[in-house]
Amino acid sequence: MQAIFKKEINQFFSGITGYVAIILFLLANGLFLFVFPDTSLLDTGYANLDPLFDLAPLLYLLLIPAITMRSFADEFKTGTMELLSTKPLSGWDVVLGKFLSSLLIVVISLLPTIIYYFAIRQLSVNPALLDNGGIIGAYIGLLLLGAAFTAIGIWASSITANAMVAFLVAVFTCFIFYNGFDALSKIPALQGGADYYLQMAGIKFHYLSVSRGVIDSRDVIYFCSITGLMLYLTKLSLQRKIWQNG
């Protein structure tokens, strides 16, 4: 697993694609948070990072699938997946190695946004009034969200040899998990009945809950369950492909 982890990290940063993906993510955040008037932190009149935590999940819908789309798709395309299957590696070694390396890149993309916190702190009239607990909770929520999206992206890459198809499948699946259930819950026929349970089935409900600064074990279990389920489906997908090729 460690060898897979190092290989993926080196491969991601050996080309320009990885740097471009992270730079575009940070550039988009910077433009929305400090330049565009409708979302600028400077125009809200409040010292908080709520616009960042509202915007980041939407940007992650594109960034994370871009990070994960080549994880297995390129292995299938080049035929190196068969070579990996002959090595003394278990299925979980390969899956977790790919997942953890992609998740580390997601964390690296998130780290520079801490600068925004210090910027808001410097601009605030009274820094002591900053909701530090809420900000920490929101960052934890982003990490949990990033893990779930990464697992979905890894799964999408395991079902096809085409990286672009993997990207599109990951974007669609992440969107459904994040916003689809919440949108379905707003159907008038479901109001007052199944709407609450539909919201609970989606990622957005639990992400917003954690973002308030209260770390509820139910939200953590939800994110861990989604992540674990998608990684398990990835392992099954790999086993099926290797068996078919064998």
Side-chain angles (χ1 to χ4, degrees), residues 7-195:
K7 169 183 170 292
E8 290 297 308
I9 294 294
N10 292 333
Q11 183 174 330
F12 187 84
F13 288 108
S14 63
I16 195 173
T17 306
Y19 296 100
V20 169
I22 293 176
I23 289 171
L24 288 178
F25 170 74
L26 296 174
L27 180 60
N29 267 317
L31 289 174
F32 277 103
L33 297 178
F34 292 99
V35 178
F36 297 158
D38 292 337
T39 55
S40 175
L41 293 172
L42 305 178
D43 295 334
T44 61
Y46 298 97
N48 62 57
L49 287 177
D50 289 349
L52 168 65
F53 300 121
D54 292 338
L55 177 65
L58 302 179
L59 295 178
Y60 269 168
L61 283 172
L62 297 175
L63 173 69
I64 294 179
I67 291 173
T68 60
M69 65 181 185
R70 298 185 183 279
S71 295
F72 286 109
D74 277 4
E75 303 280 7
F76 295 135
K77 186 176 182 179
T78 59
T80 53
M81 195 64 221
E82 286 77 8
L83 181 62
L84 278 178
S85 65
T86 63
K87 301 293 184 181
L89 297 168
S90 70
W92 281 117
D93 286 335
V94 178
V95 172
L96 290 178
K98 299 272 190 179
F99 169 73
L100 292 176
S101 60
S102 297
L103 183 59
L104 177 61
I105 295 166
V106 173
V107 172
I108 290 172
S109 74
L110 187 61
L111 287 177
T113 64
I114 297 175
I115 296 172
Y116 303 151
Y117 168 77
F118 292 104
I120 289 297
R121 190 176 182 85
Q122 290 296 320
L123 294 171
S124 176
V125 176
N126 188 353
L129 296 179
L130 279 173
D131 184 9
N132 294 318
I135 292 173
I136 292 172
Y139 268 109
I140 293 174
L142 271 182
L143 289 175
L144 293 171
L145 175 77
F149 279 4
T150 300
I152 292 172
I154 292 292
W155 164 78
S157 185
S158 74
I159 63 175
T160 177
N162 189 309
M164 186 52 64
V165 172
F167 173 81
L168 295 174
V169 170
V171 170
F172 177 76
T173 308
C174 287
F175 176 78
I176 293 298
F177 269 97
Y178 183 75
N179 210 47
F181 291 100
D182 187 68
L184 283 175
S185 70
K186 292 180 171 58
I187 296 176
L190 300 175
Q191 296 298 307
D195 58 330

